[in-house]
């Protein structure tokens, strides 16, 4: 029994099963924990009070409904008992075996598909969303909030957003931006450099340089 392989397969099943609610998943993980404590035996005695406490289930009726759902959906096999001297037996289904099938209690064949390699579609989708959000902000307000968090002038946020929106969020109009936060930091570095440069005196083309109020001593050699 491979602990990690089984959980990866279980989460893959959870992702595609819209019947499951948070209570089902919490109960399943708790049962898996106790299954692990029993060294992954075919079946183990389930202490309802302990399981409810760990799974954060408050009522008996909720517990029985959830565990019956998991059993009916073949995530586990639940063998209840009405005898107070006997304990309830739970068997967690083997989601991944070498041949892609699983055997239940007493060698009963379970009809559940077990992927050998769990696809990382959810993880890949999340990464794509992160990359897309890093390349450009959702709107102008997101840029303003980011600049405000860095204590940068809000007017620079508007300049930055309008500039890169006009060129399709590409550096130099050619290269796709990978992280607009880093590009904004570079924008502010350049803006600071421009502010710190000495301002050039604007001279009118009609200025007569021969007319001056400055007293000069023309007796000194050049």
């Amino acid at each position: 029994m491979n602990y990690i392989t089984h959980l990866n397969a279980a989460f893959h099943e959870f992702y595609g099963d819209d019947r499951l609610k948070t209570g089902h998943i919490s109960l399943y993980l708790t049962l898996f924990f106790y299954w692990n404590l029993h060294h992954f035996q075919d079946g183990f005695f389930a202490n309802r009070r302990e399981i409810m406490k760990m799974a954060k289930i408050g009522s008996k009726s909720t517990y029985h409904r959830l565990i019956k759902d998991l059993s009916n959906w073949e995530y586990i096999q639940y063998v209840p008992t009405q005898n107070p001297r006997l304990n309830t037996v739970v068997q967690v289904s083997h989601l991944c075996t070498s041949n892609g099938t699983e055997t239940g209690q007493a060698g009963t064949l379970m009809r559940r598909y077990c992927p050998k390699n769990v696809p990382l579609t959810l993880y890949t989708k999340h990464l794509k969303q992160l990359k897309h959000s890093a390349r450009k902000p959702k709107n102008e307000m997101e840029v303003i909030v980011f600049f405000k968090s860095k204590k940068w002038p809000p007017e620079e946020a508007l300049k930055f957003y309008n500039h890169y929106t006009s060129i399709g969020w590409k550096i130099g109009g050619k290269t796709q931006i990978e992280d607009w936060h880093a590009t904004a930091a570079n924008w502010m570095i350049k803006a600071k450099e421009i502010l710190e440069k000495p301002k050039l005196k604007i001279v009118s083309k009609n200025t007569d340089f021969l007319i001056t109020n400055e007293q000069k001593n023309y007796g000194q050699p050049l």
Side-chain angles (χ1 to χ4, degrees):
M1 174 62 196
N2 188 307
Y3 189 107
I4 296 176
T5 302
H6 181 96
L7 280 184
N8 281 341
F11 280 113
H12 176 254
E13 292 283 339
F14 296 163
Y15 180 65
D17 194 341
D18 294 333
R19 298 170 301 180
L20 294 171
K21 307 301 180 185
T22 54
H24 294 108
I25 296 174
S26 175
L27 178 57
Y28 180 88
L29 293 178
T30 300
L31 293 172
F32 181 83
F33 171 79
Y34 280 99
W35 188 35
N36 180 34
L37 290 183
H38 288 83
H39 304 287
F40 301 115
Q41 297 177 4
D42 286 340
F44 62 94
F45 296 116
N47 186 309
R48 178 180 52 77
R49 290 187 180 88
E50 290 182 0
I51 292 174
M52 287 179 61
K53 183 176 181 181
M54 178 171 284
K56 307 306 178 187
I57 298 174
S59 69
K60 294 179 183 179
S61 59
T62 300
Y63 167 79
H64 289 297
R65 176 177 57 82
L66 295 175
I67 201 168
K68 286 179 181 178
D69 285 344
L70 292 177
S71 183
N72 292 334
W73 300 335
E74 296 185 355
Y75 285 96
I76 65 170
Q77 284 188 334
Y78 172 57
V79 185
T81 177
Q82 301 298 327
N83 191 334
R85 296 182 180 180
L86 298 177
N87 292 320
T88 297
V89 176
V90 171
Q91 179 192 11
V92 179
S93 300
H94 291 265
L95 293 181
C96 282
T97 57
S98 58
N99 60 0
T101 61
E102 57 182 284
T103 55
Q105 210 165 23
T108 304
L109 184 64
M110 307 286 287
R111 296 189 299 273
R112 178 179 292 281
Y113 170 66
C114 300
K116 294 181 180 178
N117 297 313
V118 178
L120 300 178
T121 53
L122 179 61
Y123 177 71
T124 304
K125 181 180 179 182
H126 182 60
L127 279 183
K128 288 181 179 179
Q129 290 176 344
L130 286 177
K131 287 182 179 180
H132 182 73
S133 63
R135 285 177 178 171
K136 66 177 183 178
K138 295 178 181 178
N139 48 45
E140 182 180 280
M141 184 56 62
E142 186 178 359
V143 177
I144 294 174
V145 171
F146 176 72
F147 272 62
K148 186 177 181 180
S149 68
K150 297 293 184 179
K151 297 182 179 179
W152 295 337
E155 57 270 17
E156 289 297 331
L158 297 176
K159 292 179 184 178
F160 171 80
Y161 180 79
N162 292 334
H163 172 74
Y164 281 102
T165 299
S166 66
I167 59 175
W169 291 94
K170 295 181 179 179
I171 299 175
K174 298 179 180 180
T175 307
Q176 182 70 51
I177 292 176
E178 294 297 330
D179 186 351
W180 72 267
H181 295 95
T183 305
N186 290 333
W187 174 278
M188 287 307 305
I189 291 174
K190 292 179 181 179
K192 187 177 180 181
E193 290 176 353
I194 292 173
L195 290 174
E196 291 177 350
K197 281 184 179 181
K199 294 183 179 180
L200 296 175
K201 186 177 180 181
I202 300 177
V203 181
S204 172
K205 63 180 182 180
N206 297 322
T207 301
D208 189 346
F209 293 98
L210 296 178
I211 301 175
T212 178
N213 294 326
E214 184 179 352
Q215 298 296 323
K216 296 183 179 181
N217 184 1
Y218 293 98
Q220 297 292 333
L222 298 175

